[in-house]
Amino acid sequence: MKELNILYFASLREAVGRPGERLPLPEGVTTLGALREHLAARGEGWSALGAGRNVRAAVNQRMAGFDAPLAEGDEVAFFPPVTGG
Amino acid sequence: MAVSVQEADFDAGAEIAALSAGRPEVGAVASFVGLVRDVGHGAQVTAMTLEHYPGMTEQSLAGIVAEAERRWRLHGVRVIHRYGRLLPCDRIVFVGVASAHRGDAFAACEFIMDYLKTRAPFWKREETPDGAHWVDAREADDEAAARWDESWEAVDPRR
């Protein structure tokens, strides 16, 4: 089974204390939003991913809504709203 | 290559010249250069570090350029965005657009900047005398990008 490759950027990377991790698709998690809830439930710094926090995400390097489906092996990224330019 | 994401500085004059060199069909080149300012949200900024998402950044900028080429008649587009630690007065971003007439060049250049600011995965961290902090996204940037919305990208990242 191919693991998810999860990446965290900017203030979210600092809040969760790591740039990324590999994780088997958790049981019952089929969408980006469900993965976000699963990770936020770890508590402490992970609450930065919680509901009501201003979080954006990408699946396989494309911006995605939280209803986007997830599959084994996907690259998933969580980050705050972008501030380039 | 139309898009570069790099630590190194760029020469805006050379980039502008390259957009029309040997291309007599080009009648207009519009360009934009974004710079690091020494003021943030009321505080003095001594330096700024830009983080990005390698891979997605390039794809996202290429997608924005492709969309500009779909909307306007363009003869050339060049986008350069820097990352890493930059100081006030340093250049951050270059957008150059070549077309037959100024209308398409001005519009496409502004469109690319507005979309880049709300869609390309870059994050700024400012250093001030009171410490460093991540820059918050501005609503004005979302509003500027929304002006160009038609049906491009059905996905609303805020859902």
Side-chain angles (χ1 to χ4, degrees):
Chain A
M1 167 157 163
K2 274 195 87 184
E3 296 178 319
L4 295 173
N5 182 22
I6 310 178
L7 305 170
Y8 308 101
F9 289 97
S11 54
L12 260 175
R13 170 176 51 74
E14 290 182 346
V16 305
R18 64 185 74 171
E21 63 186 298
R22 290 185 176 272
L23 195 73
L25 191 61
E27 211 178 310
V29 168
T30 58
T31 65
L32 188 54
L35 177 65
R36 174 182 172 177
E37 276 174 40
H38 176 86
L39 294 168
R42 289 171 170 175
E44 295 188 6
W46 298 91
S47 63
L49 282 166
R53 306 296 286 268
N54 210 352
V55 175
R56 302 285 194 272
V59 177
N60 298 324
Q61 306 195 349
R62 291 184 66 87
M63 292 282 189
F66 288 106
D67 55 355
L70 289 186
E72 287 175 21
D74 278 345
E75 178 173 303
V76 178
F78 293 102
F79 42 80
V82 302
T83 56
Chain B
M1 187 159 74
V3 169
S4 299
V5 180
Q6 62 190 42
E7 267 193 282
D9 193 13
F10 52 82
D11 179 342
E15 298 296 341
I16 289 168
L19 279 164
S20 62
R23 310 190 67 176
E25 72 275 23
V26 172
V29 176
S31 67
F32 174 87
V33 176
L35 305 160
V36 180
R37 291 192 304 152
D38 68 352
V39 281
H41 305 276
Q44 195 196 341
V45 173
T46 52
M48 170 182 287
T49 299
L50 271 145
E51 178 173 328
H52 78 114
Y53 180 173
M56 180 172 166
T57 310
E58 291 82 352
Q59 269 193 60
S60 147
L61 293 175
I64 293 167
V65 169
E67 178 63 15
E69 285 170 335
R70 189 185 70 77
R71 293 188 185 205
W72 294 280
R73 291 184 59 83
L74 307 179
H75 293 311
V77 178
R78 181 82 171 110
V79 177
I80 305 172
H81 203 303
R82 297 179 68 192
Y83 62 88
R85 190 167 181 272
L86 302 173
L87 301 175
C89 298
D90 280 353
R91 285 172 279 269
I92 304 173
V93 59
F94 174 87
V95 176
V97 178
S99 61
H101 304 288
R102 70 184 185 285
D104 284 353
F106 275 134
C109 187
E110 189 165 26
F111 165 86
I112 290 169
M113 270 311 300
D114 284 347
Y115 265 42
L116 180 159
K117 285 198 84 92
T118 53
R119 292 162 195 260
F122 288 98
W123 301 274
K124 287 179 180 145
R125 188 170 187 268
E126 289 177 346
E127 295 171 34
T128 74
D130 300 326
H133 63 267
W134 292 96
V135 174
D136 286 328
R138 296 167 67 234
E139 246 174 60
D141 289 336
D142 281 333
E143 287 160 13
R147 291 180 301 156
W148 304 99
D149 281 353
E150 8 168 273
S151 58
W152 191 53
E153 225 170 61
V155 174
D156 180 351
R158 275 159 295 191
R159 269 183 310 186

